[in-house]
């Protein structure tokens, strides 16, 4: 994970085949291994190209499973990584199809870090109007609306951004 903190190594780490190994390590039964793998993957996500490759290498399924972890720091990493990956336009459709219910679940975590990342990820996804019906079908609006009154200013901002992106849809 130390190498992933320096952008000059990111391309080489990815080109040497580290992503599939890191995704596999994120599926470990050991919480520390999961945590380190997620931290490293997130550290590598500094460029759009790598964010696309992370999705291509199958990270969504492990993230969906780890969102139900009993370890709060693992769930924080999951929410941070989903937020990061959702910032990439080419990732939005796949994340919305496969992880929108997980993001809605994370909105209800009672942890401001997790809730803020989940709101931000949903706001990123809601930049694509074709995704709006998925959020509505999954029942995510009430949770977003309630987080508009969050005591955490960053969370409120992201919740309002998500609601604003949805309300901009003329359909």
């Amino acid at each position: 994970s130390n190498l992933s903190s320096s952008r000059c190594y990111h391309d080489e780490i990815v080109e040497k085949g580290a992503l599939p190994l890191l995704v596999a390590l994120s599926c470990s039964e050991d919480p520390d291994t999961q945590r380190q793998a997620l931290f490293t993957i997130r550290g590598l996500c500094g460029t759009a190209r790598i964010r696309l490759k992370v999705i291509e290498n199958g990270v969504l399924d492990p993230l969906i499973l780890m969102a139900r972890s009993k370890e709060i720091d693992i769930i924080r990493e999951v929410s941070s990584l989903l937020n990061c990956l959702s910032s990439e336009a080419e990732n939005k459709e796949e994340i919305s199809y496969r992880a929108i219910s997980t993001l809605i679940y994370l909105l209800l975590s009672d942890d401001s870090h997790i809730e803020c990342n989940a709101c931000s990820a949903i706001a990123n996804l809601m930049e694509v109007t074709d995704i709006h019906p998925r959020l509505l079908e999954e029942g995510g609006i009430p949770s977003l609306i309630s987080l508009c009154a969050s005591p955490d200013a960053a969370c409120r901002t992201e919740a309002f951004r998500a609601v604003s992106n949805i309300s901009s849809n003329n359909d």
Side-chain angles (χ1 to χ4, degrees):
S1 69
N2 288 339
L3 289 175
S4 73
S5 64
S6 178
R7 266 198 179 167
C8 65
Y9 298 112
H10 290 184
D11 287 332
E12 187 174 350
I13 291 169
V14 170
E15 288 169 16
K16 299 280 186 193
L19 283 177
L21 299 172
L22 289 166
V23 170
L25 287 170
S26 74
C27 297
S28 168
E29 302 229 354
D30 177 51
D32 189 51
T33 302
Q34 289 178 342
R35 186 178 308 104
Q36 292 298 323
L38 290 173
F39 179 79
T40 304
I41 292 168
R42 187 167 55 91
L44 290 171
C45 286
T47 65
R49 186 180 72 76
I50 294 176
R51 287 190 293 272
L52 292 171
K53 286 197 169 288
V54 167
I55 293 289
E56 289 169 6
N57 277 274
V59 78
L60 283 179
D61 289 337
L63 290 177
I64 291 165
L65 292 173
M66 285 184 281
R68 308 283 183 175
S69 174
K70 291 178 181 13
E71 306 279 336
I72 192 73
D73 54 336
I74 289 175
I75 302 169
R76 286 180 179 151
E77 281 299 325
V78 167
S79 69
S80 295
L81 190 50
L82 284 169
N83 182 17
C84 177
L85 295 171
S86 71
S87 69
E88 197 55 49
E90 290 86 358
N91 287 343
K92 293 179 191 224
E93 284 290 330
E94 186 164 358
I95 292 171
S96 72
Y97 276 118
R98 299 187 46 218
I100 196 102
S101 60
T102 298
L103 287 167
I104 293 166
Y105 170 79
L106 294 174
L107 291 174
L108 307 170
S109 71
D110 289 328
D111 180 279
S112 62
H113 179 85
I114 294 167
E115 290 171 349
C116 186
N117 276 306
C119 281
S120 182
I122 289 173
N124 290 340
L125 297 177
M126 293 304 106
E127 291 170 356
V128 179
T129 57
D130 290 347
I131 296 173
H132 294 181
R134 283 182 222 133
L135 182 71
L136 296 170
E137 290 165 9
E138 294 290 332
I141 298 298
S143 298
L144 280 174
I145 297 297
S146 71
L147 287 172
C148 287
S150 170
D152 183 271
C155 188
R156 271 194 320 271
T157 299
E158 292 304 319
F160 274 116
R161 185 169 72 93
V163 172
S164 175
N165 287 346
I166 296 163
S167 66
S168 69
N169 188 348
N170 292 329
D171 297 336

